[in-house]
Structures are given as C-alpha cells and as structure tokens.
Amino acid sequence: MDFLADGLTIKESGRGKGILFLLTFIPPLIFTLFYPRAFLTALEYAGAFGVILLLGILPILMVWKGRPEHQKESQFTTWGGKPALVVGLGFSLIVIALEIANQLGLLNRLLV
C-alpha cells in the first residue's frame, strides 16, 4: 500500500486508505479468480530457476572470479579447484535444462 501511495501520490488517511486497499487487493483477487494456478506456477519457476541461479550458478561464478584476485594464505582450503567448479556449473546447467524440458512437456515424452 505504501508503494502505491507514494507512486500515485494518494494520502494514507480516510478515503485514501480505502482506495489504496482496493488497489492493493482487488487486482490480485480478479487475477486469481480467472487464473487459479498463477501462484503455483510462479512458485515453480522461482523454485527451479531462482534457486539454481542463487544457490548454484552465482556462488560458483563468485569463487571462479574471486580466487585469482584474493590470493590470501588461509588454513581453510577445499579440494577440486577449477574442475570442481566446472562440474558444479555443469550440474546446475543440467538441472536448468531439465526444468525447461519439463516446462515444455518434453520430459513426459522421453520418460513414457
């Protein structure tokens, strides 16, 4: 409601609160009535692509970029080096490819 109040310059008192309430809740209600699976579909995409991007690809790219620039001596080291990063990136890209195939219905054809 605050976002709409600022963007539309509506005062948040009296009649303005009622207008903001209607503008905040009526459009999603109408959208949900005509497309009930919208929220679940959004969760599917966010879960598939968002999680792989944030927890898979971005950390790998950060380590790939940061290792050469920050060569500090540390007692903590990990095994694998660049080959492990390549395997992790490849796995993440495979998961994304499988999700795209699933969204397009190609996986059902291959498995049946």
Side-chain angles (χ1 to χ4, degrees):
M1 287 177 59
D2 292 331
F3 174 76
L4 289 175
D6 292 342
L8 300 174
T9 61
I10 298 174
K11 293 185 180 181
E12 294 186 60
S13 61
R15 185 175 175 195
K17 272 190 175 182
I19 292 170
L20 290 171
F21 176 81
L22 292 175
L23 288 174
T24 302
F25 292 106
I26 297 301
L29 176 65
I30 291 171
F31 187 77
T32 307
L33 290 174
F34 287 105
Y35 189 46
R37 273 197 50 85
F39 181 72
L40 295 176
T41 303
L43 281 179
E44 287 175 11
Y45 284 107
F49 302 110
V51 170
I52 290 298
L53 181 68
L54 290 175
L55 300 178
I57 294 174
L58 284 179
I60 291 169
L61 295 177
M62 288 167 48
V63 169
W64 190 289
K65 176 83 170 125
R67 274 187 182 167
E69 291 181 9
H70 304 287
Q71 290 292 330
K72 296 181 179 175
E73 292 298 321
S74 174
Q75 292 178 356
F76 178 77
T77 58
T78 59
W79 59 272
K82 284 191 179 183
L85 295 176
V86 170
V87 168
L89 187 63
F91 180 75
S92 297
L93 293 175
I94 288 171
V95 170
I96 287 178
L98 287 173
E99 185 58 34
I100 290 171
N102 184 37
Q103 294 292 333
L104 295 174
L106 301 174
L107 254 151
N108 292 337
R109 293 183 206 154
L110 293 174
L111 297 175
V112 175

